[in-house]
Amino acid sequence: MILGPADAASRPSSDGDFPYWLVAAALLGLWFGWSIYSDETLALIFERVREGIYITVMVTVTSFICASLIGLGLAVGVLSKSIWLRQICRFYIEIIRGIPILVLLFYIAFAAVPLGVEGWNYATAGLQEAGYLEELRTRDIPFLTRAMMALTIGYSPFIAEVFRAGLQSVDKGQIEAATALGLRPWARFRTIIFPQAIRTILPPLGNDFIAMIKDSSLVSVLGVADVAQLAKLYAAGTFRYLETYTIVAYIYLILTLGLSLMLRGLERRLRSGRRS
């Protein structure tokens, strides 16, 4: 059955519902937290695994900030007046967006980085012979850095599309009015375009951040000591797979649900600010 505009408007909205799901999730989380605290085996597993939380958060935050900066630059490039810049940015977005994150991790770590090291040594051969620089070796670049490079490159096209959609949602009349007032392009972007676009950008951008928290577990394939890697090592040594990966799921749920609630609160504030 196809619903008309009147039917769609009369449907109940979940925004005003009491968050029973949140109460249930909180009670379940408290119960499992108490189980970890009171059970010696679960407490030991949690103690081993939680050492990787810092790496997981650091990888996610650093990669997301870098990907957001690149994505914003790509979005501005796609919307620029230069056809060459538009085509270059679109080429990057479409090509990188079609490569799985796991494949990109392996490619950056074992192909692109060694190739880049060779190129750097070739370009700086004269300075190295003169003693100004030392020869760069592939092993000098940690796998943690390679993993963050891969996540940055892999997520930047998706974030670029988020920024592009948000920038295009701003009414053209306001941009034309700012131009008529004599505002320079950077001033128009900083004071008129971006403050309005961020309201549209924030929800999908937050979803990408949550997705990156989960995808950061893929860096464990490179041996990076994040939560997933430490859990894999502990489970392989003790064969306690059920307990170990239940705790890993619990940690990731705390991270993602906490961030999701913060983003929802920020969205409500932005909506209330728009209405006022």
Side-chain angles (χ1 to χ4, degrees), residues 15-46:
D15 291 342
D17 292 347
F18 183 81
Y20 293 105
W21 69 270
L22 181 58
V23 174
L27 291 175
L28 185 62
L30 290 173
W31 171 79
F32 194 74
W34 172 256
S35 300
I36 294 175
Y37 177 78
S38 58
D39 187 278
E40 184 178 348
T41 300
L42 294 179
L44 177 61
I45 297 173
F46 182 79

Side-chain angles (χ1 to χ4, degrees), residues 48-82:
R48 296 289 182 85
V49 173
R50 75 177 181 89
E51 297 175 0
I53 295 178
Y54 170 77
I55 296 296
T56 295
V57 173
M58 189 267 291
V59 167
T60 303
V61 172
T62 304
S63 302
F64 188 78
I65 291 174
C66 295
S68 297
L69 294 175
I70 295 175
L72 179 58
L74 289 170
V76 173
V78 168
L79 299 176
S80 71
K81 296 180 180 180
S82 171

Side-chain angles (χ1 to χ4, degrees), residues 120 124-135:
W120 170 262
T124 60
L127 294 175
Q128 292 177 13
E129 292 177 359
Y132 293 105
L133 290 176
E134 295 184 0
E135 181 182 2

Side-chain angles (χ1 to χ4, degrees), residues 13 34 43 52 74 110 115 143 152 159 173 197 222 224 241 247 267 276:
S13 173
W34 172 256
L74 289 170
F110 301 114
L115 185 62
F143 280 105
T152 297
I159 295 177
L222 301 181
V224 177
Y241 292 98
I247 289 178
E267 288 174 30
S276 61

Side-chain angles (χ1 to χ4, degrees), residues 8-275:
S10 63
R11 283 183 297 176
S13 173
S14 62
D15 291 342
D17 292 347
F18 183 81
Y20 293 105
W21 69 270
L22 181 58
V23 174
L27 291 175
L28 185 62
L30 290 173
W31 171 79
F32 194 74
W34 172 256
S35 300
I36 294 175
Y37 177 78
S38 58
D39 187 278
E40 184 178 348
T41 300
L42 294 179
L44 177 61
I45 297 173
F46 182 79
E47 188 68 21
R48 296 289 182 85
V49 173
R50 75 177 181 89
E51 297 175 0
I53 295 178
Y54 170 77
I55 296 296
T56 295
V57 173
M58 189 267 291
V59 167
T60 303
V61 172
T62 304
S63 302
F64 188 78
I65 291 174
C66 295
S68 297
L69 294 175
I70 295 175
L72 179 58
L74 289 170
V76 173
V78 168
L79 299 176
S80 71
K81 296 180 180 180
S82 171
I83 184 174
W84 294 108
L85 184 57
R86 292 198 305 268
Q87 293 299 315
I88 291 172
C89 293
R90 178 54 58 187
F91 176 83
Y92 176 91
I93 291 172
E94 297 300 335
I95 295 300
I96 300 299
R97 194 167 55 171
I99 303 176
I101 294 294
L102 184 59
V103 176
L104 197 60
L105 275 166
F106 284 128
Y107 186 83
I108 294 295
F110 301 114
V113 167
L115 185 62
V117 168
E118 291 182 8
W120 170 262
N121 288 331
Y122 179 80
T124 60
L127 294 175
Q128 292 177 13
E129 292 177 359
Y132 293 105
L133 290 176
E134 295 184 0
E135 181 182 2
L136 182 64
R137 296 168 296 183
T138 302
R139 64 187 181 191
D140 293 332
I141 302 177
F143 280 105
L144 178 62
T145 303
R146 305 184 203 187
M148 289 190 292
M149 290 170 57
L151 287 176
T152 297
I153 294 172
Y155 266 83
S156 58
F158 297 97
I159 295 177
E161 291 295 275
V162 171
F163 277 115
R164 180 190 59 78
L167 294 175
Q168 288 183 320
S169 69
V170 178
D171 184 46
K172 292 184 178 180
Q174 299 194 34
I175 302 175
E176 293 172 355
T179 304
L181 290 173
L183 292 179
R184 295 181 178 274
W186 169 245
R188 291 199 302 267
F189 179 82
R190 181 174 55 85
T191 60
I192 303 297
I193 300 174
F194 193 75
Q196 298 183 68
I198 193 63
R199 294 172 177 172
T200 305
I201 291 170
L202 186 63
L205 195 64
N207 290 336
D208 283 338
F209 189 33
I210 293 173
M212 184 179 282
I213 291 177
K214 296 184 293 182
D215 282 347
S216 67
S217 62
L218 294 175
V219 305
S220 62
V221 300
L222 301 181
V224 177
D226 69 329
V227 171
Q229 173 68 3
L230 294 180
K232 181 172 65 176
L233 294 176
Y234 184 85
T238 62
F239 298 100
R240 292 187 176 274
Y241 292 98
L242 175 62
E243 298 91 337
T244 302
Y245 285 107
T246 301
I247 289 178
V248 170
Y250 177 71
I251 291 174
Y252 277 107
L253 278 173
I254 290 176
L255 293 175
T256 55
L257 284 178
L259 180 61
S260 178
L261 292 174
M262 290 173 57
L263 290 172
R264 289 192 179 192
L266 185 55
E267 288 174 30
R268 284 194 295 268
R269 290 186 60 182
L270 289 175
R271 284 200 299 266
S272 62
R274 178 183 297 180
R275 287 194 294 267

